[in-house]
Amino acid sequence: MRHGKKVNHLGRTDSHRKAMLANMATSLILHKRITTTLAKAKALRTYVEPLITKSKNDTTHSRRTVFAYLKDKDAVSILFREISEKVANRPGGYTRIIKMENRLGDNAEMAFIELVDYNEIYGKKSAAAEKKATRRRGGAKKAAAPAETEAPAEVKAEVEGEEKVDGE
């Protein structure tokens, strides 16, 4: 039983796993999206998200701490310069994992992991669709509401007038 064991060892030694995750995190920071197996993507998410959180505070200590994990000067500079600005007001959840089809060779579950703020496709479509739907609904309700409120007042006046005529 693996009660309380949170680390997925990925069938590798400790040094191999740390080096692999450092390389994958560097690739993710440089390319903003990478394709890998689902298990590796989930392990990478727990590895890279604390580093992105640490990059929000641009101090010498935090840069050295992140460099100890990534071991790549270019990736650290991009992380602190570009990525930290984009995620400055995001409270977490910097990455997105999307499952893909299984790999043909060994039928492994594949996925791609990406930085959320760098995908323009998702942000543009959902925002445009929401605005369009809101306009339609709001316009239909506003146009229908005044017509309905005016019509019953006129009908009531006519009905009252007819009743008086009938009563006389």
Side-chain angles (χ1 to χ4, degrees), residues 51-69:
L51 299 180
I52 296 173
T53 302
K54 192 167 280 293
S55 74
K56 289 181 178 183
N57 185 14
D58 191 4
T59 61
T60 305
H61 177 69
S62 60
R63 279 183 179 264
R64 287 178 178 168
T65 305
V66 170
F67 183 77
Y69 282 93

Side-chain angles (χ1 to χ4, degrees), residues 7-28:
V7 178
N8 185 354
H9 296 290
L10 301 172
R12 289 163 171 78
T13 61
D14 188 49
S15 58
H16 184 186
R17 186 174 58 256
K18 285 179 181 175
M20 181 189 67
L21 289 173
N23 287 333
M24 290 173 66
T26 300
S27 297
L28 179 65

Side-chain angles (χ1 to χ4, degrees), residues 117-138:
D117 293 319
Y118 282 89
N119 189 337
E120 295 88 21
I121 296 171
Y122 287 121
K124 287 183 181 175
K125 281 187 178 178
S126 62
E130 288 175 14
K131 287 183 181 177
K132 203 170 195 181
T134 305
R135 284 190 198 139
R136 273 192 211 136
R137 285 189 217 122

Side-chain angles (χ1 to χ4, degrees), residues 7 17 33 38 44 66 80 82 85 90-91 111 116 135-136 143 158:
V7 178
R17 186 174 58 256
R33 173 192 285 185
L38 184 62
L44 179 61
V66 170
F80 278 86
E82 297 174 13
E85 290 177 5
R90 182 180 287 274
V116 172
R135 284 190 198 139
R136 273 192 211 136
E158 290 176 8

